[in-house]
Amino acid sequence: MMMDQWGGPMGDFDPGEMIDRIDGRLAFLKTELEITEKQKPSWDELASVIRSTAETHNALMQSMIKEFREGDFLKKPLPERLAYQQSHLEARLEQIKAVRAAVEKLYATLNDKQKKAADEIVLPMMGMGMGRSGGFGPGMMVR
């Protein structure tokens, strides 16, 4: 069985799980942050960006898993494997930049209590599972 970059079996990973739960996680975050009507446009923009980047990331992960399972990735010459990894990392960086821009826009509208809550929240998307505590959680909602 192929191992992922963290040493775990790739067969245990289901990228679709995150997509299935994204709206519930966003609803939880909106409640935790106590988003006001005035903040709603910035919140809606962030939620849209999170949904979009989660879907894009999910598609990238599914294609990567497929290549690993079929053995195609390891058949590629080293330069091609590195180019493949680089393209995935660059795509991920663009996703994170988009989320960051939307977060900064919303964060600027938050009061001090909301900012404190936001600082402890873990975003509901792949690769954003690290909160202030430094911990990772499978639900990525751990504070």
Side-chain angles (χ1 to χ4, degrees):
M1 180 175 290
M2 295 302 301
M3 303 300 270
D4 68 13
Q5 66 182 353
W6 302 106
M10 290 187 70
D12 292 346
F13 177 69
D14 179 7
E17 286 183 19
M18 182 206 39
I19 298 298
D20 294 343
R21 296 186 184 113
I22 196 83
D23 286 326
R25 291 177 180 172
L26 288 170
F28 173 81
L29 288 173
K30 186 177 181 182
T31 300
E32 284 290 300
L33 292 175
E34 300 175 4
I35 297 297
T36 66
E37 256 329 286
K38 187 176 179 182
Q39 296 163 332
K40 193 173 180 315
S42 293
W43 167 260
D44 289 344
E45 181 179 335
L46 174 60
S48 176
V49 168
I50 288 174
R51 279 186 200 98
S52 173
T53 58
E55 289 170 2
T56 301
H57 184 72
N58 184 50
L60 284 172
M61 291 299 296
Q62 286 179 341
S63 71
M64 188 171 71
I65 288 169
K66 181 180 179 202
E67 282 209 42
F68 272 95
R69 285 186 180 152
E70 293 174 356
D72 294 340
F73 181 78
L74 295 176
K75 291 177 186 174
K76 294 179 182 184
L78 177 59
E80 286 183 37
R81 291 193 315 253
L82 291 172
Y84 179 86
Q85 291 174 329
Q86 180 181 344
S87 69
H88 278 77
L89 288 171
E90 288 170 347
R92 188 67 185 130
L93 177 59
E94 291 306 312
Q95 294 164 6
I96 292 169
K97 285 179 179 180
V99 171
R100 178 181 172 197
V103 164
E104 287 176 349
K105 186 174 178 181
L106 174 65
Y107 196 86
T109 71
L110 302 179
N111 64 36
D112 290 340
K113 179 183 175 190
Q114 290 171 307
K115 285 179 180 177
K116 185 177 184 325
D119 290 343
E120 296 179 5
I121 284 178
V122 178
L123 292 177
M125 59 183 294
M126 298 296 197
M128 303 293 277
M130 198 165 176
R132 278 233 173 166
S133 66
F136 291 93
M140 292 190 291
M141 294 300 295
V142 179
R143 292 198 290 159

